[in-house]
Amino acid sequence: MSTYITAAEGDITRAMALYGWNARVSAALMLPSHFAEVTIRNAVSEALTTVYGSRWPWNLGLQRSLPAPAGPVYSPRQDLLNTRNRESTTGGVISELKIVFWQSMFTARHDVRVWNHHILNLFPNASGPTPSDLRRRIYTDLESIRKLRNRVAHHEPILARNLGEDLNRIIELIELRSKPAGVWVRAMEDVSTLLIERP
């Protein structure tokens, strides 16, 4: 409670209200972030299907292109191997891979094979960037979204973040691929209302 008590300047009643509000706005952020992740993973899958075929999770060329760092750090290659060992379809693999896998696809190592030729078509509403600029932007946006989601998933305080900016980043990422999807998510989300109601 110390974070909330500090934010409420020692007022315990307000601190409790902030705690409840933090939980509510955290839950509300899951809806737009859900659609952002689905949007991104579908775009990456479409690109990988174009380059490696519909059974891309089992393509040796893709497997070899993925980083496989040693030690207790995230390994995109190991994540793919583990997931495809549990799932028998491409759709099953897509739904089970971690968000960090999709983020890791937006690195320069995939520019030549994947992004230089496909990213602008997959995100047609990005105005003016080069393929590498757009790839970097998406990577950065996903990093911010992933960190926010991790805080939410671990029931941590998010009240010090600029949540309005977080929401805009999430929806703008969706809109890069589909303006109608962005409009749909904006119509459904409750975050904007909760931001106004902050104790």
Side-chain angles (χ1 to χ4, degrees):
M1 284 296 296
S2 61
T3 300
Y4 303 100
I5 293 169
T6 300
E9 300 174 342
D11 182 331
I12 300 300
T13 301
R14 183 165 172 249
M16 292 300 294
L18 279 171
Y19 188 96
W21 176 85
N22 188 86
R24 290 173 63 214
V25 78
S26 293
L29 279 161
M30 290 307 291
L31 182 139
S33 63
H34 162 96
F35 287 105
E37 181 175 354
V38 170
T39 297
I40 290 299
R41 74 187 193 190
N42 287 346
V44 174
S45 179
E46 188 176 326
L48 294 179
T49 297
T50 301
V51 175
Y52 297 105
S54 62
R55 298 275 295 164
W56 60 260
W58 291 270
N59 183 282
L60 192 57
L62 171 63
Q63 177 184 321
R64 289 178 177 156
S65 77
L66 298 174
V73 294
Y74 176 76
S75 167
R77 185 181 301 175
Q78 197 59 52
D79 190 10
L80 178 64
L81 292 173
N82 292 344
T83 305
R84 76 183 194 194
N85 286 340
R86 293 189 313 268
E87 302 294 332
S88 60
T89 66
T90 300
V93 171
I94 292 168
S95 66
E96 292 297 320
L97 284 167
K98 298 173 177 67
I99 190 173
V100 69
F101 176 86
W102 305 111
Q103 181 188 7
S104 75
M105 290 303 303
F106 289 92
T107 56
R109 75 185 307 127
H110 301 292
D111 278 351
V112 173
R113 275 185 234 97
V114 180
W115 298 127
N116 288 348
H117 305 291
H118 303 292
I119 197 166
L120 296 179
N121 291 330
L122 291 166
F123 297 94
N125 300 315
S127 54
T130 65
S132 59
D133 288 341
L134 179 55
R135 176 193 49 75
R136 279 192 294 272
R137 176 197 167 169
I138 293 171
Y139 180 92
T140 301
D141 287 349
L142 287 171
E143 177 72 2
S144 178
I145 293 166
R146 188 177 62 79
K147 286 182 174 178
L148 174 62
R149 278 186 28 159
N150 285 347
R151 291 194 67 81
V152 166
H154 292 98
H155 315 295
E156 295 179 18
I158 59 170
L159 65 163
R161 293 180 62 102
N162 184 335
L163 298 175
E165 183 178 295
D166 286 326
L167 176 64
N168 285 333
R169 182 189 311 270
I170 291 167
I171 295 178
E172 286 171 6
L173 186 58
I174 295 167
E175 290 174 337
L176 287 176
R177 183 148 164 88
S178 170
K179 294 273 189 188
V183 169
W184 184 52
V185 173
R186 281 189 195 278
M188 284 190 290
E189 63 86 11
D190 295 323
V191 179
S192 300
T193 301
L194 287 166
L195 293 180
I196 296 167
E197 295 175 359
R198 176 178 170 151

